Amino acid sequence: EAAVTQSPRNKVTVTGGNVTLSCRQTNSHNYMYWYRQDTGHGLRLIHYSYGAGNLQIGDVPDGYKATRTTQEDFFLLLELASPSQTSLYFCASSERQGNTEVFFGKGTRLTVV
Amino acid sequence: GDSVTQKEGLVTLTEGLPVMLNCTYQTIYSNAFLFWYVHYLNESPRLLLKSSTDNKRTEHQGFHATLHKSSSSFHLQKSSAQLSDSALYYCALSDLPNTGKLTFGDGTVLTVKP
C-alpha cells in the first residue's frame, strides 16, 4: 500500500516565522500534492509536482512555495507565516493524474500565533 | 472553472437508517472522473469510490454511487448506516482530459448515533 509520510505532525510558529513542511512517499509515484483542509472549504490544492524539479501552481498558492527535490520528497515552505495559514496540511501522491487514486499522508497541523 | 457542491455540511443519522450524501458538479468536460473520499478522524483521507461511466452503479464497502451526467450528480448512498461510518466525506472531480487536477467539494460530516 502507498505510504506518504509527513513531518512534523504538529507545528506552532509565530506570525512572520519561517516554516518547512516535509513529505516523503515511497511508492515511486510521479505526482505529489500539497493540500490544506479548512472547515467549510474542503481540501484545496496549494501546489503540485509531476517529478523532481517540477512545480505546478495549485488553486491557493499565495504565501506558499514548494520544492520537489527527488521523486520521493516534496516540501512546502511558508516564508512569512500568517495566522490565515493556520490549517491542517495534507501531502498526497498518485501514479498518474486524474483517474487514479490519490494517497494521502496523515497531515500536519500548523498553528500560526 | 470546475466546481463541486456538497450542499450538506453536516448530516446526523440514527444507526440503521439509510445514508445519502449529495454531490453535484460543474465541468465543461464530458468524460470527467468523479470520486468519493472518506476521512476518518486522525487518519488519512482515502478513496471510497470512483466513476466515469454514465448511469453505472459503483460499489465499495457497502457504499454505492451512480454517476448521472444528465443531472451532473454523483450522490453517495448506503442502505443502513453504522456507527463506524461517522467521518468526513469528500466528493471530488477530475477535469480530465485537461490537467487531471482534482477539485474537492467542501465535505460533509456524517455522524451516526446509536
Side-chain angles (χ1 to χ4, degrees):
Chain A
E1 187 171 318
V4 180
T5 305
Q6 294 182 233
S7 62
R9 295 293 314 281
N10 289 281
K11 176 75 177 178
V12 180
T13 191
V14 296
T15 300
N18 204 322
V19 177
T20 298
L21 306 185
S22 302
C23 177
R24 167 166 284 197
Q25 56 96 3
T26 57
N27 291 280
S28 302
H29 284 168
N30 293 315
Y31 285 85
M32 294 187 75
Y33 313 85
W34 278 107
Y35 289 92
R36 60 179 290 174
Q37 182 188 67
D38 303 288
T39 303
H41 292 282
L43 286 163
R44 292 182 289 175
L45 182 64
I46 305 170
H47 290 298
Y48 67 103
S49 166
Y50 54 73
N54 175 264
L55 181 64
Q56 302 294 316
I57 294 173
D59 299 320
V60 289
D62 292 347
Y64 302 96
K65 293 184 179 179
T67 180
R68 181 93 175 265
T69 55
T70 65
Q71 186 169 25
E72 295 79 19
D73 298 303
F74 195 30
F75 300 93
L76 185 67
L77 296 80
L78 292 73
E79 294 184 331
L80 285 171
S82 73
S84 64
Q85 294 176 307
T86 293
S87 187
L88 181 58
Y89 291 87
F90 286 99
C91 178
S93 73
S94 66
E95 185 177 353
R96 297 184 302 279
Q97 183 160 251
N99 61 357
T100 59
E101 182 173 359
V102 174
F103 293 88
F104 288 85
K106 292 194 171 184
T108 295
R109 185 163 294 282
L110 175 66
T111 303
V112 183
V113 297
Chain B
D2 292 349
S3 66
V4 175
T5 301
Q6 295 179 247
K7 63 180 184 180
E8 310 108 345
L10 177 63
V11 172
T12 302
L13 289 173
T14 301
E15 189 178 16
L17 291 181
V19 178
M20 181 160 169
L21 306 184
N22 286 288
C23 173
T24 56
Y25 64 93
Q26 285 189 312
T27 181
I28 62 172
Y29 301 101
S30 60
N31 59 340
F33 266 80
L34 272 294
F35 304 79
W36 277 100
Y37 279 82
V38 59
H39 185 197
Y40 296 101
L41 192 63
N42 296 324
E43 295 186 12
S44 308
R46 64 172 189 258
L47 180 66
L48 183 59
L49 294 170
K50 68 175 183 179
S51 180
S52 64
T53 306
D54 198 12
N55 297 317
K56 180 180 178 182
R57 176 171 162 144
T58 301
E59 298 190 38
H60 187 60
Q61 295 184 332
F63 287 89
H64 63 92
T66 303
L67 178 59
H68 292 295
K69 293 185 179 182
S70 60
S71 59
S72 299
S73 67
F74 191 55
H75 305 320
L76 183 67
Q77 299 183 69
K78 188 178 185 185
S79 58
S80 175
Q82 298 177 293
L83 296 176
S84 59
D85 294 329
S86 296
L88 173 58
Y89 292 81
Y90 286 111
C91 184
L93 164 71
S94 162
D95 69 345
L96 280 178
N98 191 24
T99 67
K101 207 171 53 170
L102 284 180
T103 298
F104 286 85
D106 290 345
T108 298
V109 174
L110 174 65
T111 302
V112 181
K113 296 186 173 180

